[in-house]
Amino acid sequence: MSANSRLTIAAHALTWIGLYQRRGHEVATSEQIATSVNTNPVVIRRLLGEMRKAGLADSRRGAGAGWMLARDLAAITLLDVYQATGAGPVFALHRATPDPECVVGRGLGPAMSAVYDDVEAALCRELAKTTLEDVLRDVLRAA
């Protein structure tokens, strides 16, 4: 199984738009953003569509079409982006119900759910501590 990169790609796209706007540009095209991310512009449009629904990005159609931030980078946390991606829980239980006659099969779900709930809460607390402004600062510092 591979890790989900939607949070990373969405944070990349939004941070890139923020930097692009700071450099005097009003909107960024999906093609420009996709070049930085090294993906297809369709992937960017779909993901930014989710960001728009969450109030993190906005778009303009027609002449001068493109994407812009709906909020300042300092007002967008990684938790906002994570939630906007519609990411489900970090971990899931069995797809099929385990044997209810087995002590492990019967008890594993509740035991693991408690751990997974704690992991998800810790993840959300950590993501809430970091804004995209923080991400951009760290990116520029590393450049």
Side-chain angles (χ1 to χ4, degrees):
M1 285 184 236
S2 64
N4 185 332
S5 62
R6 291 172 51 77
L7 171 61
T8 302
I9 294 171
H12 184 149
L14 292 170
T15 303
W16 192 93
I17 293 169
L19 178 61
Y20 193 65
Q21 287 181 304
R22 284 188 186 172
R23 291 181 171 167
H25 304 278
E26 201 170 325
V27 296
T29 68
S30 302
E31 291 76 15
Q32 291 169 316
I33 301 163
T35 298
S36 177
V37 176
N38 194 25
T39 192
N40 190 297
V42 172
V43 172
I44 297 301
R45 282 191 287 277
R46 286 183 184 145
L47 204 50
L48 287 176
E50 294 173 15
M51 300 302 110
R52 180 179 49 219
K53 287 178 189 170
L56 305 179
D58 205 355
S59 63
R60 179 186 302 159
R61 297 185 183 271
W67 294 94
M68 64 206 83
L69 295 179
R71 301 189 332 218
D72 189 69
L73 288 175
I76 301 172
T77 67
L78 288 176
L79 178 59
D80 296 326
V81 180
Y82 175 71
Q83 291 172 333
T85 65
V90 176
F91 299 109
L93 297 177
H94 304 85
R95 288 180 188 231
T97 304
D99 181 359
E101 300 301 316
C102 171
V103 65
V104 175
R106 182 176 54 251
L108 190 71
M112 297 301 285
S113 288
V115 173
Y116 293 167
D117 289 347
D118 290 346
V119 168
E120 186 77 22
L123 172 68
C124 290
R125 278 193 308 275
E126 288 302 311
L127 292 175
K129 293 178 185 179
T130 304
T131 68
L132 292 183
E133 183 69 39
D134 299 328
V135 171
L136 179 58
R137 182 193 63 241
D138 292 348
V139 164
L140 294 175
R141 188 179 304 148

